[in-house]
Every structure is written in C-alpha cells, then in structure tokens.
Amino acid sequence: MTLKKNIVFSILLYLNLSKLYAEVDWVNFGWELFDRISDARITSLAQASIAYPITSSATSMVNPALSHIYNDKIGMTHQSRIAGMVNSEFIGFNKNMGDSSWISFSLLYEGINNIPDTRNILLDWGNDGVFGTFDAGEGNGILDEGERLDINKIRYFNQNQLGVYAAMSKPYNKWKIGLGIKLLFQTLDDHYALGTGINIGLYRSFNGTSLGIVLHNIPSSGVIWDNGTTELTPGSFSIGLHHLLLINKYGLKINPVCRANFVMSERAIDSKLLFNTFPVDLAGGLETIYREKIFFRVGIFQSGASTAGLGMFWDNISIDYAVIADNFTLGLNDNHLITISVSSKWIKDRILNKI
C-alpha cells in the first residue's frame, strides 16, 4: 500500500511541478481515447447508456457511478477504424477489494502507424523554380506555379496512446456516486506525454426509469509533454435516461436509452446549439433482450452514424458484436467490433483443475 501511495504522490508531484515551469495551452482535444474506445455492447447503443446499469466490461467507462454493478467476466475487444489505419484494444474487468467492494479497471490502447510527414517536401523556390533568386513566391510556404514537391523527403512516424481507467462508486442517500481516474501515456514520433484526468458520475433509479449524470475532465484534464508543455482540456458533462419496458408474455425486455453531451468548448460540425449558446451532442439506442440470452441493439449518433449489434449470453462466456456505419465518409470509417467476455472464476477453475 505504501508503494502505491508513493507512486501516486510522485505522479501528482511531477504534474504540479511541471505546470510551474512550462507553457500551458488550453486544447479541445486529447482525451478521445477514453470517449471513443469501448466494448461492442456499449458501442452498439451509441455509447448512450450512461443511465443503463448493465454488466458490460465498459459500463464504468460511460459512467463511473455504474461501477457498482459487479461483473465477474473479463471483456476483450479489438477494433479497426478508417480502413484499418487505426487499431485499438480494450480490456475491462473488476477487482475485488476484500470488503464486499470492488474497482472496475479498463486498459485501452490505440495506435496509428506510418503517418506521412510532408512538411519538408515543398521545394519553395518561387515561381521560377530556381533556389536563391528571391523571386515572387520563394519561401512563402505555398506551392506556387513553377514549384514542385520532392516525394523523397516524405518521412513517416507513429502515434500511440495507452490508457488506464479505474472507477468505483458508493451509495449516498438514493444515489450512486462514482469516481473515475484516468491515466494517459502518449507517444507522437519521438515525443512522449503523461496525463491525468477525473470523471465524476451519478446514478439513480425511479420505478423503472434511471437517470445518469457524468462530469468529464473535472475540473480539467492535463497532459504534460517531454518538452514541458502542458495541455489542459476543459470539462464537459453528460446527462442520460433509461427506461425498462417488460413484455412478460414473450419473455422480452426493451431498454431505450438516450444521452445529451454538453461540450462546453468548441462545437463539433454536427453539434446542436442549446439556447444558441451551448453545443450539445445527442445519441440514443435501443436494446431488446429475449429471455436473458439473446440481445438485439441499435443506436444512432449526432453525426448520423448508426450502430447495430447482437449479443449472446451464457453463464461463463458472452459474445457481443457491433457494427458502426458512418454515412458521411462513404464507408471509410465503417467498422466492426467483437467482444468476448469470459468468467474469471471459470478461468481460475479450469487452470486449477489442470494443475
């Protein structure tokens, strides 16, 4: 325990000392790793399930207050996006703390390889195409008539992000209050950065209807680069609803969910404006469960991208599939996800029986 406290103290000390001597920039991006990477079940519901208490490996990612839902399965997900250029991995599981409580852990990775760097390929020699004559266009950084590009000067680099997310929740009156801590390690070419952030979630159920609220990056999330530059991302918050509909005659459960994300920073292209001031991103989904064994799911994002999914549940293993159809990139960002979740107890029993 002392070692863990020392590690946490060292990280916090490093972050605070760096802020004293480094340039500080406010940026709108940097933490998308924790927003877009999830498992197949959450993704097929357009990540709108912040008020839906399900035993999914990524439930605590959308709302840390939902980490009170214990899941003994280890969920593993692989995803490729943008025609295979971007690859990500996700692992989620719960860890018992020995006093009837537990922490939900998520490990995330995303990598992009062979990114072209074209900054030095312009032979910026002016309209006459001859270096040193100082004619019009020479050295202006624009491809003018008579200039050309040297493709031999293209170089390639990689970007990698590794994230660790831990969440736990406690009851307070009729609410569940959760805390999610994010750690981010990022490399870009030969540069690297370390970041920390906090999410706070709330959850409450009202006779079949549930309310979820999440404060993201509160008060802000920070990333410190190796050159000392600190990038701070402003906070945002989300609110969502879930309602359970039962059709006992046919053994069906119908679960509609919705979410509104208030960005509080620069709006996205497809964001809606609330009161002509606050950018809002909307998402919604619907899950139908047949006899607790078969799951059908659909969802839609604010951008117009649609999702669909299918799940099969057994005692020791479950398999979930999701597909994302992006209508604005002509299929470039269409991708498929498969999550395999296996009971940790079943794995231990299988290993012990072979010893």
Side-chain angles (χ1 to χ4, degrees):
M1 182 62 70
T2 302
L3 178 60
K4 293 181 180 179
K5 290 182 179 180
N6 290 336
I7 293 174
V8 173
F9 177 77
S10 299
I11 293 175
L12 294 176
L13 180 62
Y14 168 72
L15 295 178
N16 283 282
L17 288 177
S18 300
K19 292 178 182 179
L20 293 177
Y21 302 102
E23 176 184 352
V24 177
D25 297 322
W26 285 94
V27 298
N28 294 317
F29 306 100
W31 291 88
E32 293 78 19
L33 178 73
F34 295 89
D35 298 329
R36 61 175 172 243
I37 296 181
S38 185
D39 66 9
R41 186 174 185 182
I42 298 296
T43 300
S44 62
L45 293 172
Q47 297 184 340
S49 57
I50 67 173
Y52 187 14
I54 53 179
T55 55
S56 168
S57 57
T59 294
S60 64
M61 291 283 297
V62 293
N63 187 349
L66 297 179
S67 60
H68 74 283
I69 306 297
Y70 184 74
N71 181 17
D72 73 329
K73 291 185 173 67
I74 301 174
M76 298 165 285
T77 306
H78 171 76
Q79 181 181 10
S80 293
R81 298 185 297 110
I82 313 181
M85 293 177 56
V86 182
N87 293 283
S88 61
E89 312 292 339
F90 175 85
I91 299 176
F93 59 94
N94 288 340
K95 174 65 176 176
N96 281 309
M97 302 304 294
D99 57 352
S100 300
S101 63
W102 53 86
I103 297 179
S104 297
F105 284 100
S106 299
L107 305 177
L108 309 93
Y109 167 80
E110 183 176 83
I112 309 175
N113 297 322
N114 297 320
I115 305 172
D117 182 355
T118 60
R119 290 175 295 178
N120 297 317
I121 69 172
L122 173 61
L123 301 178
D124 198 6
W125 296 347
N127 294 332
D128 61 3
V130 179
F131 175 72
T133 59
F134 303 105
D135 65 320
E138 183 167 342
N140 65 357
I142 301 174
L143 180 62
D144 299 304
E145 184 178 355
E147 295 180 335
R148 60 190 185 276
L149 304 176
D150 185 357
I151 62 174
N152 294 321
K153 292 187 176 181
I154 297 178
R155 59 181 296 269
Y156 297 87
F157 63 96
N158 302 328
Q159 180 185 18
N160 296 280
Q161 290 182 306
L162 177 65
V164 179
Y165 181 86
M168 66 181 304
S169 65
K170 296 292 183 180
Y172 180 77
N173 290 334
K174 296 182 179 180
W175 291 83
K176 295 289 185 180
I177 301 178
L179 174 67
I181 298 177
K182 302 181 286 188
L183 298 178
L184 176 66
F185 180 74
Q186 180 174 344
T187 64
L188 180 62
D189 198 8
D190 56 353
H191 298 283
Y192 61 89
L194 179 66
T196 60
I198 293 176
N199 289 353
I200 297 175
L202 297 94
Y203 166 81
R204 184 174 178 179
S205 179
F206 306 86
N207 298 321
T209 299
S210 301
L211 171 67
I213 301 173
V214 181
L215 306 177
H216 305 272
N217 302 316
I218 299 299
S220 67
S221 294
V223 175
I224 300 177
W225 288 91
D226 54 329
N227 62 2
T229 299
T230 300
E231 295 179 344
L232 299 179
T233 300
S236 63
F237 76 94
S238 301
I239 184 169
L241 293 172
H242 159 255
H243 183 73
L244 173 62
L245 301 173
L246 293 174
I247 306 179
N248 294 322
K249 180 179 179 181
Y250 300 102
L252 292 177
K253 291 183 178 180
I254 300 175
N255 296 279
V257 295
C258 63
R259 181 207 67 195
N261 184 37
F262 299 84
V263 184
M264 295 300 179
S265 59
E266 183 178 340
R267 61 181 298 195
I269 294 176
D270 50 1
S271 296
K272 300 296 183 180
L273 286 179
L274 180 64
F275 306 125
N276 295 321
T277 303
F278 300 108
V280 181
D281 295 327
L282 304 175
L286 178 70
E287 179 175 66
T288 301
I289 305 174
Y290 178 69
R291 300 192 183 280
E292 302 292 345
K293 296 294 183 181
I294 303 177
F295 301 75
F296 301 94
R297 310 174 186 114
V298 293
I300 188 168
F301 289 95
Q302 177 74 57
S303 63
S306 58
T307 62
L310 176 67
M312 301 288 291
F313 178 85
W314 297 275
D315 290 338
N316 295 318
I317 187 171
S318 60
I319 300 176
D320 294 289
Y321 165 79
V323 59
I324 304 175
D326 192 337
N327 300 324
F328 291 92
T329 56
L330 299 178
L332 180 63
N333 202 25
D334 293 356
N335 58 95
H336 306 262
L337 294 84
I338 294 180
T339 298
I340 299 177
S341 302
V342 183
S343 169
S344 57
K345 182 180 182 301
W346 181 78
I347 294 176
K348 293 177 181 178
D349 292 341
R350 298 285 292 184
I351 293 175
L352 291 176
N353 289 336
K354 291 183 177 180
I355 296 178

